[in-house]
Amino acid sequence: MRSNDWKGLEHNRMIEGNVVEAYLQLIAIRARRDSADGNPPVLVLSSYFFQLWKEDKMQVLNRWNQSIDFSKLHYVICPAYTASDFQSESGHWGLIVVNVTERCITLYDSLAITPKQHMDMIQEYMEEAARYRSNQQHASHLTPWSQLIYPITQIPRQTDSTSCGVFICAMADCIVTNEELNCFEQRDIPQVRAAMLGILRSIYGSEYPDN
């Protein structure tokens, strides 16, 4: 990350994928630190996951499956960006959370516009990952995956056009820590932005150049 990457948090703009991913990774690191056995209970997939999955599924499986024990995961979290490219501020961030134990894939979206196909790709990944690790052609013995689009009435509702990335980071934090999703709302977003900025700068600020 570079200094320009922070501007999305500082100036009420959309935040970049690397900022979203960095914050979600910190949530995963904290969850690992707090776990009883020291195993990582949260896996965060790249903000480029869907693009990479479309291009080369085997490369994705090789990249994320070598050192991951899915049986010990609680959640797989993936930010889902909907736009023609990653440079457009007309895009939108949604959040997909896989509850591995309950075998449920849930979409959280503060504007309810993320396409369902993102959930389908995550389900395909989870199914292929199971086959990849077990060297099985079929995984018929496993409970089928279910999908849920979380009702917009039960999550914080975004009322601007630029805070979607902040919303999904805050919602991911609530989910992993078992807090109520509605513990924040649009009017709290400036404080959430400031808190995210402080946390990320305190950890990454000295590691990256200014330009």
Side-chain angles (χ1 to χ4, degrees), residues 31-49:
R32 179 173 188 170
R33 181 197 65 197
D34 295 342
S35 67
D37 58 7
N39 288 309
V42 178
L43 169 67
V44 175
L45 298 180
S46 169
S47 55
Y48 288 92
F49 168 83

Side-chain angles (χ1 to χ4, degrees), residues 54-71:
K54 290 177 182 178
E55 293 173 354
D56 192 337
K57 295 178 182 178
M58 187 54 63
Q59 181 180 4
V60 172
L61 291 169
N62 287 332
R63 176 179 178 182
W64 276 297
N65 282 46
Q66 293 293 335
S67 58
I68 299 169
D69 187 348
F70 279 81
S71 68

Side-chain angles (χ1 to χ4, degrees), residues 1-3 6 26 199-210:
M1 286 183 286
R2 300 177 186 273
S3 60
W6 308 121
L26 291 180
I199 292 169
L200 289 169
R201 270 186 165 164
S202 69
I203 294 174
Y204 297 111
S206 62
E207 298 181 18
Y208 293 89
D210 291 332

Side-chain angles (χ1 to χ4, degrees), residues 97-99 102-107 119 123 127 143-149:
V97 177
V98 180
N99 187 317
E102 297 182 2
R103 297 185 66 78
C104 181
I105 302 167
T106 305
L107 170 62
M119 299 173 71
Q123 179 170 334
E127 291 170 344
T143 303
W145 288 99
S146 61
Q147 294 186 6
L148 171 67
I149 299 177

